[in-house]
Amino acid sequence: MAWIWLAIAGGFEVVWAVLLKYTDGFSRLLPSLATIGAMAVSFYCMSRALQTIPIGTVYAVWTGIGAAGAAIWGMAVEGDPASAARILCLALILAGVAGLKLAG
């Protein structure tokens, strides 16, 4: 169950990272509230995962999911460059996350 909590936490990290762009420095109310809500859910789920999984693993997986997810969103939706080098680096991040799961 801890890994499910961690996956949900990582998913909400992607959500708040994407929403953060639309807050305009927290000057827009609805995107700001949505961002803070997603942050709260992400941290809550991460805290649940920390009850079982070591902190180093949780933090690495959480940030890996968030970084990869935000980068994929950027390439798929925001028009960020999708070069072969960027995609390879994302694959390496995801391989590291999978490795931490398998080694744990």
Side-chain angles (χ1 to χ4, degrees):
M1 186 66 186
W3 285 99
I4 294 169
W5 283 114
L6 184 53
I8 295 168
F12 273 94
E13 188 194 7
V14 174
V15 171
W16 72 254
V18 169
L19 288 174
L20 193 60
K21 177 179 180 177
Y22 300 100
T23 68
D24 289 332
F26 287 101
S27 65
R28 296 179 62 214
L29 181 62
L30 291 180
S32 297
L33 292 174
T35 301
I36 292 167
M39 287 176 172
V41 172
S42 181
F43 280 100
Y44 172 77
C45 294
M46 186 170 60
S47 75
R48 295 298 304 265
L50 282 166
Q51 292 176 322
T52 306
I53 305 170
I55 190 168
T57 302
V58 167
Y59 191 70
V61 171
W62 181 71
T63 57
I65 292 170
I72 291 167
W73 175 272
M75 287 186 281
V77 177
E78 304 283 340
D80 293 351
S83 66
R86 286 176 61 103
I87 293 168
L88 173 64
C89 290
L90 286 172
L92 291 171
I93 291 171
L94 295 174
V97 167
L100 286 170
K101 165 70 171 105
L102 295 173

